[in-house]
Every structure is written in C-alpha cells, then in structure tokens.
DNA sequence: CTGTATCCCAGCGGATACTG
DNA sequence: CAGTATCCGCTGGGATACAG
C-alpha cells in the first residue's frame, strides 16, 4: 500500500499500491529487462547489430568493422539468427557464385531506440568524436526520449511501476 | 563518397559521404555504444540500476530484490559509485546508528531512456506479466522514442550516421 | 570469401565463510 | 545489517589452424 519510500526526497519511480510486499516487483516473473539482456546483453551482439544498422551485411565486413574475432562473430551471428534478430539470406551478383548476407529482421530493427539510447548515453560521457547519429531531414542529432501511449512526454518522476495486467502487452514499439 | 550500399533495398541507415573508406566509421575512435557497455554492459549493473529506479536504496534490499549474490552486488555497487552512477550517502534515523544508502546520481538517472528501451524490447517478446512502466499522469504504458534536436520524431530510415564534429557533443539527454 | 574447430584467458556471477 | 575474502564454474571473446 505504500506509494512512497522511507526517504521521499530520493524516490525515483512511484509504485502503485497493488502489492503488499514490494519484493513482489522483483518476484513477478522474469523482468523484461533481463530478457532483453539475455539476447543483446553481450558486446558482440550489439556491435553486430550496430554494423547492420550502418549497412554492413557480408560476414567479412561485419568482422572487420566490429573488430571481433571471426570465431566470435560466427557464433554470435548464428545466435542472432536463431533469436530472430537477423536473417541469413542468399543473394547472387550475376556472374558470381551465390553468397549470403545478414539482414536485420523487423525484430532486430526494433532495437533502434535501444541503440540510440546506448549511443547517446556513451556520448554524454565527456568523450568526443566518433560516430554521431542525426536526422537525415534536418541534420540535428538524435536523442532518446520516453513517451506514453497517449503521446505525452514522460519524465522520470512521472513514471509509475506496476504489475502488468494479464493479456497481451499494451505497449508496442513507437516509431 | 558512397551514400548507399550495394543492395539498397536493405539499407538501414544512410551515411554521409565524408568518408572515402567506410571502415573509418569503425576506426573513428571508440564507439559511444561500446563506452556505454563498458559501464552498464553487465547484468548486475543494470539490475542494480533498475532497483534504484524502483526505489531501493539499502544494500540489503538491493541484494534481495536483484537476487544477486552479496559479493557480486558489493563489487558492482562499488564500481557504479566509482563510475559516477550512484552515490553512497550516510543517513540516520534518529535513535539508530548511521547507515548508508545508494542513490542514483544525475548520470545514473540519465539511464532512464535506456532502461525504458530495454524493458520495452524485452516485453515485446511475446512474453507476458512482470513489471510494466506507465505514465503516472494518465496510466498509459511507456514507450521508447527517438527524436532529433529540432523535436522531430525520427524513424530508422530517416537516420544518418556521420562522424561527429570536434567540440562538445551537441546531443544532451532529452527529458 | 565464409566460415568452423580447438585451445586459452579474463571477467562475471555464485557459494561459503568471516568481520564490524 | 552491511559488507569483504576466497574459491570456483561458466561464458564471452581472442588466437591459431583448418575447410568448403
């Protein structure tokens, strides 16, 4: 029934009062965040996704641009395909023999906000240089944001954590 | 000078033509994403940040709610403090002896969009249940979004990757 | 060019035992 | 309650060598 913690001045999220025991939050099955980390929680996975975003498709390019060892890239790509983030597609340039390329699936592309968030947070470290993401239309740099289903901008203090109701998830990816 | 890749139908990001060699993207110093992963790329780090968002502050609570071993939590918390994501603050309940609590710094709180992105991506896996984040004002679930500095919504196809100019980073965290 | 097989090391995370 | 010290297994990632 508690809505606030002992030291309110440090409260970040509010929590709805549906749980007598705050530990129910943690115990409520697997956290969605941990599920994400199981798939894209490794450096190699995100680096390969990054290069796919940048347009890399051939094994050789992905290996060279990520700087990963071939063995690591090979194993991780196979897992990414298994996990449904990438597809291995055959293609042929006329006159050459058939090759394969790795392309992001829709699920893989839906990592876009996560990727932007990672890029932005790492870029606000005081470090400079490197690749920057920008809006192709106006040239302004990209920023991660948080909205609600009704379209409101949501700040961290206006966020509420609660147990999800049964039934399908209400939140799909925004564009 | 290339703006598009060999197989345009699969191009994700466009790239500006400033680089004769596409590998310059990767070689351009450390990727900001990798810098992020060095700090929050472990399961334990993100779990502790998560619990801090949920309002956990005392060592004991953080350990129990994350399910981490004490040793792991201890080491990771120390590192999070070192990395500037958390602060260890003394406090006293009158009549009791001084205790410490871990509170997120502004830098730690700026992981909010990343956290939302991870939660949302894991929740769109077909799995159900668990904690859901919502807008305290209207009750709608939270969605990660991507905007540019001019306030436009940016989709993945309108994104351009380029080498950041010298000088301070233009992109600060949106709210 | 696109991988796979092996071997190796470092780091993450857990179990146990012990301190203030 | 709030940690630290030690030990230990597992996995991520790299090096080398080899194959279709």
């Amino acid at each position: 029934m508690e809505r606030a913690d002992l030291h309110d001045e440090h409260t970040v999220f509010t929590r709805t009062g549906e749980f007598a025991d705050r530990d129910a939050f943690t115990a409520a099955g697997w956290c969605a965040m941990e599920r994400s980390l199981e798939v894209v929680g490794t450096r190699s996975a995100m680096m390969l996704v990054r290069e796919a975003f940048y347009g890399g498709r051939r094994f050789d390019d992905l290996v060279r641009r990520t700087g990963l060892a071939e063995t690591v890239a090979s194993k991780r790509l196979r897992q990414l395909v298994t996990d449904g983030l990438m597809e291995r597609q055959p293609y042929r340039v006329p006159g050459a023999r058939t090759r394969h390329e790795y392309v992001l699936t829709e699920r893989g592309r839906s990592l876009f906000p996560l990727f932007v968030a990672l890029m932005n947070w790492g870029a606000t470290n005081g470090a400079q240089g490197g690749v920057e993401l920008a809006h192709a239309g106006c040239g302004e740099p990209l920023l991660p944001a948080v909205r609600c289903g009704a379209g409101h901008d949501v700040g961290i203090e206006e966020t509420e954590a609660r147990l999800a109701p049964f039934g399908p998830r209400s939140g799909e990816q925004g564009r």
Side-chain angles (χ1 to χ4, degrees), chain A:
Chain A
M1 278 314 177
E2 52 185 333
R3 285 204 128 246
D5 280 287
L6 208 56
H7 307 281
D8 289 297
E9 68 271 22
H10 292 145
T11 296
V12 185
F13 290 179
T14 54
R15 298 170 122 177
T16 53
E18 310 170 26
F19 315 101
D21 183 4
R22 304 202 314 193
D23 296 332
F25 270 105
T26 304
W30 260 55
C31 174
M33 190 191 73
E34 290 175 62
R35 257 178 275 143
S36 293
L37 292 178
E38 290 240 316
V39 179
V40 292
T42 60
R43 183 170 144 269
S44 58
M46 283 307 302
M47 288 176 80
L48 288 165
V49 169
R50 178 193 71 192
E51 290 307 319
F53 277 139
Y54 289 167
R57 284 188 282 274
R58 294 214 329 280
F59 181 83
D60 197 38
D61 287 339
L62 295 174
V63 166
R64 192 179 60 262
R65 294 179 194 163
T66 56
L68 293 169
E70 294 170 355
T71 52
V72 175
S74 174
K75 274 187 288 190
R76 192 62 60 199
L77 281 169
R78 204 184 318 145
Q79 196 200 317
L80 289 173
V81 169
T82 300
D83 291 337
L85 306 202
M86 287 195 184
E87 277 174 356
R88 189 161 171 275
Q89 297 186 352
Y91 76 97
R92 343 187 0 145
V93 178
R97 78 175 198 273
T98 299
R99 299 196 180 285
H100 292 271
E101 56 183 7
Y102 296 89
V103 298
L104 288 167
T105 62
E106 189 49 40
R107 177 122 190 93
R109 292 159 69 98
S110 71
L111 286 168
F112 181 55
L114 175 60
F115 176 64
V116 172
L118 277 170
M119 288 286 286
N120 187 266
W121 195 81
T124 54
N125 240 331
Q128 298 181 5
V131 176
E132 185 179 52
L133 305 176
H135 185 192
C138 68
E140 288 290 317
L142 259 46
L143 304 172
V146 175
R147 274 202 291 257
C148 75
H152 305 128
D153 284 333
V154 180
I156 189 169
E157 308 83 4
E158 310 160 50
T159 297
E160 180 178 272
R162 66 191 185 200
L163 264 192
F166 57 89
R169 283 299 243 186
S170 37
E172 281 306 313
Q173 197 76 256
R175 98 173 194 128

